[in-house]
Every structure is written in structure tokens, then in C-alpha cells.
Amino acid sequence: MATYLDVVNNVLRRLREPTVVTVDDTPYSSMIGVLVNDAKREVEDAADWNALSSTITVTTVADTFNYTLTDAGTRFRVVDVLNDTSNIVLRYAPTKWMNQQFLLNSANVSNTPNFYNFNGVDSSDDTQVDLFPIPDGVYTLRFNLIIPQLDLSSDSTRILVPHHLVAMLAYAKAIAERGEDSGNLSSEAYALYKSALANEVAIERNRYEEEMNWVAP
């Protein structure tokens, strides 16, 4: 894995610019840092990368239906949700259906949770989830998620998705930002990135075939 600073310097070398000792060393390197973050986000959104897999455990309390997925943020994608205590798979339910259950089945809403629905965020911008039936005791729920990294800010933060893809896409964006770069148009650089992305996804799919669902950009 490469760090934020490593990738910024990689892009600077591609542009034949001096490398830096910190991302914010110069106004131009700071701008490249912004493009690297933009590129990282696009690469993260391109596939369900196994490196972004994470499990958030929620322990329920009797008669409490709303919980926070701490550190999940809002950009995650769901692999599955398991009730580890009862050995069942929780199913997603639409908001309208959940509201109807809470209102219309008020006499029989306390039981083993079988359904979940995402409902807003807390003060830390972490997603909140409602459960139905309302837990009647302590259950351990496992939310298996694909969670993108936060925006890069520290030089030493390691990029979890394939860093060469981030560098290639950031380079294409940098060329577009300042115009043609010695004959290499941004469209050509972007085409090279898309080819590399397809190859990397194929490698990932070979390892985690059942988890990959990808459409070329």
C-alpha cells in the first residue's frame, strides 16, 4: 500500500514536477492532493473492494429500536446483516413499511429483530438504523459493510484501494486541469485508467467472485 504523500509524489513525477516532503508543501502539491482525494473516492465507488470490508457489531438493548453504526459514515454499501445471536439473516425493509409496523402493530412489536432500515445520521454523521421487531433482549447484530476511507489528510495515511489506480486517475484529472501535457491528452490518460481499473477488478473478482458486482464506467 502507498501513502497519501506517496501517491501525490507519483502524480507530480508523471507531470514532471518536483516532488514534495509534505502534501501541502506547495500550492500545486496541495491541489494535486485534492485531485488524489477525488480520484480515491471514484476508485472506491467503482467496485466493492475487499480491502474496504468491515464488520460493525451492534449489541441491542431491550425495547430500543434505533442504533448508530459507529464509524460507518454514510457512503457504505451493505454485504449482509446477521443476527449472530439467533443465527438469522436480517432483511432490509422500506421506510414506509417500517413506519406501518411500528404504528399498526404496537401490541406485538417486541421480539427477535428480523428487519432493518437506515434512518438518518447522528451528530458524527454516522448512519442510524431502526430494527423491527423492537428487540426484546440482548442480540448481537453484525453489519458486514464496504466502508470507504475518510478523505485523506495526513501524509502517512495508507490508501486501501489500489493506489496505482488512484494515481492514474488523479494524473488524468491533473492533465485536464492544466490542459494538454506534452501531447498526452486527459482523455488518453483516462482511457489508460479505465483499462487498468478493469484489469484490477478482474483480479479482485477472481479472488472474491461471489462479492463482485461491477459495471465499467
Side-chain angles (χ1 to χ4, degrees):
M1 294 183 185
T3 66
Y4 182 28
L5 179 60
D6 291 336
V7 174
V8 167
N9 277 328
N10 183 301
V11 176
L12 289 171
R13 291 188 188 96
R14 292 169 186 260
L15 295 165
R16 292 174 298 282
E17 295 285 345
T19 58
V20 293
V21 296
T22 181
V23 171
D24 293 323
D25 206 7
T26 68
Y28 192 68
S29 65
S30 293
M31 188 272 290
I32 296 299
V34 172
L35 298 182
V36 166
N37 266 305
D38 290 345
K40 179 188 75 70
R41 185 184 184 102
E42 290 188 36
V43 173
E44 289 172 337
D45 292 345
D48 291 342
W49 303 105
N50 185 261
L52 301 180
S53 296
S54 184
T55 298
I56 293 180
T57 301
V58 171
T59 302
T60 67
V61 177
D63 300 322
T64 300
F65 67 88
N66 181 262
Y67 298 86
T68 297
L69 299 181
T70 305
D71 296 329
T74 58
R75 292 180 53 221
F76 63 84
R77 298 187 289 278
V78 178
V79 177
D80 57 23
V81 182
L82 308 175
N83 181 333
D84 205 23
T85 301
S86 303
N87 295 322
I88 59 175
V89 178
L90 270 70
R91 290 177 286 171
Y92 176 82
T95 300
K96 184 176 180 180
W97 184 88
M98 291 284 281
N99 290 338
Q100 291 172 347
Q101 303 314 304
F102 287 129
L103 291 174
L104 303 179
N105 295 324
S106 58
N108 186 32
V109 297
S110 182
N111 209 322
T112 302
N114 284 278
F115 301 93
Y116 69 95
N117 171 265
F118 300 119
N119 186 7
V121 298
D122 68 359
S123 58
S124 299
D125 289 331
D126 284 326
T127 297
Q128 295 179 310
V129 61
D130 290 344
L131 303 175
F132 183 84
I134 298 173
D136 58 356
V138 177
Y139 297 89
T140 299
L141 309 182
R142 294 168 56 86
F143 287 78
N144 298 310
L145 311 173
I146 303 294
I147 305 178
Q149 279 183 283
L150 297 175
D151 283 348
L152 306 168
S153 58
S154 172
D155 291 344
S156 60
T157 300
R158 303 185 77 83
I159 298 177
L160 298 180
V161 292
H163 60 84
H164 69 287
L165 297 179
V166 177
M168 293 178 73
L169 182 54
Y171 172 58
K173 291 176 179 293
I175 295 173
E177 186 277 332
R178 73 178 187 181
E180 186 177 346
D181 182 63
S182 299
N184 292 323
L185 297 173
S186 60
S187 59
E188 295 173 346
Y190 186 63
L192 290 173
Y193 156 74
K194 289 198 295 182
S195 176
L197 174 63
N199 290 337
E200 194 66 35
V201 169
I203 294 171
E204 184 95 351
R205 179 176 293 157
N206 185 57
R207 294 196 299 266
Y208 315 105
E209 183 174 358
E210 75 283 359
E211 297 180 10
M212 295 299 295
N213 182 18
W214 179 74
V215 178

